[in-house]
Amino acid sequence: MALLIGSHVEQEDPIAGARVRGAEIAQISLGDPRSWKGPVVEFPGGAPALREAAQQANLPLVVHAPFVINVASTNSRIRIPSRKLLQKHVDAAAEIGALGVVIHGGHVVKDADPADGFAHWHKAVDGLDAKVPIFIENTAGGQHAMARTLEAIERLWDSISTAAAFAQVGFCLDTCHAHAAGLELHGLVDRIKAITGRIDLVHANDSRDAFGSGADRHANLGKGKADAAGIVEVVATSGAPAVVETPGGAEDQAADIVWLRDRIAQL
């Protein structure tokens, strides 16, 4: 299967957004990614029309869940609404024919026991009606994050491995987040797969900040402080589609897609 490279695009018309960027796969948000409201399919004609249009365009879709979701939280006023909102996005993703839903690993507060967060993840996966897979994304910062370090990811996978919907849980590897978390990009695909057994999606992003900074600030490819060769290696060896979530508009993201394709072709 050919390597698909695409971009995060506006959900009002993902097909047009992908076309102008030269994207072979499109990631979208269903509504405001920083809001508890939604999901909302803004494509004219709603979910059925978007599903049909994406199929006609041969454009795979991925949904990114809202950033506010934190199923690991020890605060029930965050954790329980997070589970409900995740389920709604999984349902909506199935309706539009998406490959899956990307969700951040989340965190617990500094005074909480991380074990509680991993246990909450187990419960979330155990109770999820996974009509499409969820792809847990590694995160950039936070000492009490569930998916920042390799050790945390291993604890997370151990915790959810006995959950009912575990077979529908995949992994999204973000190169900016890995760089910020202090994870060397060279060889990272093998280290992740040794824990999760799979990588389902790559977020190919450069970083504005230094290695190990913990800062989640994306940069355009080849213009930041992440290891450019490492980014290319991750995409080329992951066996998964890649999506750029880089700054700027369509022109900048189109340039990043070309940058990535050109360097992979040189390998």
Side-chain angles (χ1 to χ4, degrees), residues 51-244:
R51 184 186 188 112
E52 176 65 20
Q55 288 175 347
Q56 290 294 323
N58 195 28
L59 180 70
L61 300 175
V62 176
V63 170
H64 200 304
F67 305 140
V68 294
I69 290 178
N70 182 7
V71 301
S73 177
T74 53
N75 184 341
S76 62
R77 293 184 179 181
I78 295 175
R79 183 177 67 255
I80 294 173
S82 291
R83 289 180 192 160
K84 292 179 179 178
L85 190 57
L86 174 60
Q87 184 65 65
K88 289 179 180 179
H89 276 75
V90 167
D91 295 346
E95 290 176 359
I96 67 171
L99 299 178
V101 176
V102 178
I103 175 175
H104 288 174
H107 61 277
V108 296
V109 296
K110 66 178 182 178
D111 295 330
D113 186 346
D116 292 336
F118 297 122
H120 292 152
W121 253 111
H122 173 96
K123 190 168 184 179
V125 173
D126 202 51
L128 183 68
D129 180 9
K131 298 179 179 70
V132 298
I134 60 170
F135 306 143
I136 301 176
E137 180 179 354
N138 61 305
T139 47
Q143 296 302 315
H144 297 81
M146 301 290 101
R148 179 188 182 188
T149 66
L150 294 178
E151 293 78 11
I153 294 169
E154 185 168 13
R155 289 186 68 185
L156 174 56
W157 242 250
D158 285 345
S159 179
I160 64 176
S161 63
T162 56
F166 176 63
Q168 286 285 78
V169 178
F171 192 80
C172 174
L173 175 54
D174 187 303
T175 56
C176 171
H177 295 177
H179 166 85
L183 302 179
E184 293 285 353
L185 296 180
H186 287 293
L188 183 58
V189 164
D190 287 341
R191 296 196 298 277
I192 290 291
K193 286 187 175 180
I195 296 169
T196 66
R198 57 194 287 180
I199 294 175
D200 299 83
L201 186 70
V202 172
H203 283 169
N205 302 309
D206 210 325
S207 173
R208 291 172 57 185
D209 299 281
F211 182 77
S213 65
D216 181 8
R217 299 196 301 171
H218 297 186
N220 295 99
L221 298 180
K223 297 181 179 180
K225 296 184 178 180
D227 180 358
I231 295 172
V232 174
E233 178 190 304
V234 166
V235 174
T237 63
S238 67
V243 166
V244 300

Side-chain angles (χ1 to χ4, degrees), residues 248-261:
E251 184 175 348
D252 293 311
Q253 289 148 9
D256 285 331
I257 291 172
V258 170
W259 182 97
L260 199 48
R261 286 193 182 125

